Each structure stands twice: as structure tokens, then as C-alpha cells.
Amino acid sequence: MDEQEYKTMETKVIHAGQEPDPLFGGVSVPIYQSSTFAFQNAEQGAARFAGREKGYIYTRIANPTIKALEDSVAALENGYGGIATSSGMSAISTVLFGLLEKGSHLISTASVYGATRVMVENILSRFDVVADFTDTSKIDNIRRLIRSETKLLFIETPANPTLVLTDIAACAQLARENNLLLVVDNTFASPIIQNPLDLGADIVIHSVTKFLNGHSDVVGGVIVPREESIYQQLRKIMPLLGGNMDPHQAWLVLRGIKTLALRVEKSQENAFKLAQFLADHPQVAWVNYPGLKSHPQHDLARRQMRGFGAMICFGLKGGYEAGKKMINSVKIATLAVSLGGVESLIQHPASMTHAGVPQKEKEQAGITDDLIRLSVGCEGFEDLKADLEQALSQV
Ligand code: LCS
């Protein structure tokens, strides 16, 4: 069936890119665990390399199982096509190294995933790429920083770990007016909740390690450009930089994606109730969750997201010491980094995921010492609530 005819995300996650195998009818996409593909003759090999004939050559360039995942995520994001990578970081570095030039200027959300900021500041800078990190929730902050060398605007919304939101449509308009590429890291929302390309972004990036795979057993990434020209450019760059995905990795993510809609629905329902529980708890100083009216951009969340997601951050009245006691006391939520899996995970960004970001920059980004991040999973709400309750009682 033509993908355009799938009206709902629930159908898309199960069928888009995952048609029965044309050879034997396998309902599950076969794993083409082969590094290379035989040519019938020298002419065919030459024709494939020259692009005159379609067909597979070598798995770093393309592979049928990986292609199925790329088609699936591209359909979920309404993009031209997908490019799968070995990790979310590989997706980000492929886009930035692939599209920026010596002397390019980039503007990014201050509160991005720690490794993204460290990579831009410590590695891209060696190639004379200059970056400004700012609070992109205020569009004027971005406007003020644009100069003739600015090539790319990189936003993460909701942001890791602060859950600050950035207005994607407003950024897209600003990007169009100033001839910038708008890249959105959509990892925290997942395509179930938010589709940045529909709001005018040029490229969407996912760490599929998180919600798309959803089972905390794979690391991977996907890049989805809106237009063919950028897709073709990055399609050529990815195998040159070498950050391709592996077929078995792709198959596991395809399997995870089939339940993406169900998982996100359940985990965000849990998150909504847990955020309310935390907000009412006497030990809790503050809670940031896009679904709470107290979130500074609750109205924007209602406009650009179809749900409020499964990520919560909060601080306790006793600060970091109290938070440490709490995260050492949870029994159902697991003390671990990463997010978006069926199991709830809790961590302390300032000393863990964002430990590599210098203290001053953490402060600028709102990554305070008391901030605890909770990725809410698909367990039963009563168990999760009781677990947080008992952990808070230890404080
Ligand atoms: N983008 C976002 C928003 C992320 O949260 C992460 C990883 C990445 C990109 C990188 O993806 P990866 O290479 O790990 O697949 N975030 C992590 C986190 O918050 N805890 O552990 C990893």
C-alpha cells in the first residue's frame, strides 16, 4: 500500500518501510547480514558505481535492511528519505561536518545533549567553525547572533535535560529569511509527538537509541532531510565519514518502531501523572514538564507537540545532596543515563550526561546542580508513584 494512504501514526509505525519481503513474503524485514553484494558481471558493477543502475554495492553505502529503517523513519517524519547512522552522535556529526565549511558560524540551543556541545566546541572548532550557544526559547536571542557567516541553526526541543522548548515554526521562518539551514534534534519528542519538517525545518535528527528503538539495547541514529537535494548531499557524505549503521542494529530498531505509538502513549500518560505527583510533593522545589501549566512554554507545547512526552526534570528542596539520596533510593526506576526505553531511568545530568560541559556553560544552559532527570517508562503508574514516594521519603 502507498505510504501516503496511512492516515495514522499507529499504522505508519507498523507498515511504513516494513512491507512483506518481496522474495519469500517474510512479514518481518529480513536481516541482510552481508557486507557486500555480488554483481552479475563487470558491466553491472560499473553501472551501479556510476549510478546508472539501481542496486546494492556495499553495506557502508546502503543495505536493504538499513533501507527499510530509513524508509520507516522518513515516513514517520514526512521527509524525503532517511540516512541511518551508527549512533545519534554520528547523525549529528555527519550533518555538521558534512554541511558546514571552514569559517562557518552555527547557532545552537544552549541546553543540548552534553556530547553535542562538547563535540562542537572541542572538535568542530579545530576546523574554524564558530558556534554560539544561546537560550533558543527566545527567538530574539537567535536573531541577534545571526551574521554573514551563519550557516546553520541547530535546535533541540524539548531540550536535554532542561525540557526548555524552542518554537520550530518561528525558527524556520528566521532561517528562511537569513538563508540558514534549520536542523532539529527530535530525540526527546519522537515523531509520534512532533514533526519538525512539517513546521519548516530542513533536517530532523534522531538518536534512535531512545524512543524509536525503545528497549535500551541498541545505539543508533537517523538523519531525515525534507528535500531531495540535501538528502542526496548527505547520502554521499555519510559513507565517506563512515558512520553507517549495521543491518542487525537496523532490524532491532525496526522491531522497536512497531510499538512506538503504544509505548509513547503509555509512557507519556505515566509522565503526566508523575509530573503532577512531583509538583504536589512537599520535598520537591520545582518540576519542569511541558504538560504542566507551570511550564513557561506550556502554550507552545500545545501548539507544536501532539503530546507532552515522557521526560521530566525536577529539583528537590534539599538540592543536590537530597537528589543524590533520592536517585540512590529508587527501586523500580533505574539509575542510568539514556532515555526513551520501556523502563524508567533516572539520572543527574550535571555529573553524568552533561559532566563534560564546563560549569559556566552548564549554568548558562540552566543545567543546575539540583536538576534530576526522569525518563518515564511503560511500567504501571501505581508502582512508579510508590517508588518515587519511597525514594523521596529517604531524603
Ligand atoms: N541527541 C540527544 C537529544 C540525546 O539525548 C543523545 C543522547 C544524542 C543526541 C546522542 O545519541 P547517541 O549517540 O547516544 O545515540 N543522549 C543521552 C542521554 O541523555 N543519556 O545518555 C545518552
Side-chain angles (χ1 to χ4, degrees), residues 39-54 57:
F39 308 130
Q40 281 168 354
N41 49 45
E43 288 76 10
Q44 185 181 53
R48 286 199 184 164
F49 268 93
R52 290 194 306 274
E53 182 189 298
K54 281 201 160 150
I57 297 173

Side-chain angles (χ1 to χ4, degrees), residues 9 76-77 157-158 186-196 199 206 211 260-261 264-265 267-268 289-290 301-311:
M9 277 298 205
L76 296 177
E77 287 290 11
T157 179
N186 200 26
T187 299
F188 258 46
S190 93
I192 299 296
I193 291 177
Q194 179 172 276
N195 290 124
L199 300 171
H206 281 281
F211 290 98
L260 179 67
V264 169
E265 189 183 337
S267 57
Q268 74 173 348
Y289 178 68
R302 285 187 168 278
R303 272 206 314 279
Q304 81 179 8
M305 299 167 79
R306 290 184 290 269
F308 301 118
M311 301 300 297

Side-chain angles (χ1 to χ4, degrees), residues 85-92 111-116 154-161 185-189 205-210 218-222 311 336-339 345 347 349 352-354 373:
T85 54
S86 58
S87 66
M89 282 313 300
S90 174
I92 295 167
S111 169
V112 279
Y113 172 52
T116 304
F154 185 98
I155 61 173
E156 204 181 277
T157 179
N160 184 358
D185 185 332
N186 200 26
T187 299
F188 258 46
I205 282 173
H206 281 281
S207 162
V208 302
T209 316
K210 319 300 185 215
V218 171
V219 171
V222 172
M311 301 300 297
V337 297
S338 201
L339 59 115
L345 302 176
Q347 66 114 0
M352 297 175 189
T353 47
H354 294 68
R373 192 188 77 183

Side-chain angles (χ1 to χ4, degrees), residues 316-328:
L316 300 186
K317 287 187 181 148
Y320 174 48
E321 286 307 317
K324 206 160 57 174
K325 275 213 179 98
M326 184 194 175
I327 63 175
N328 278 335

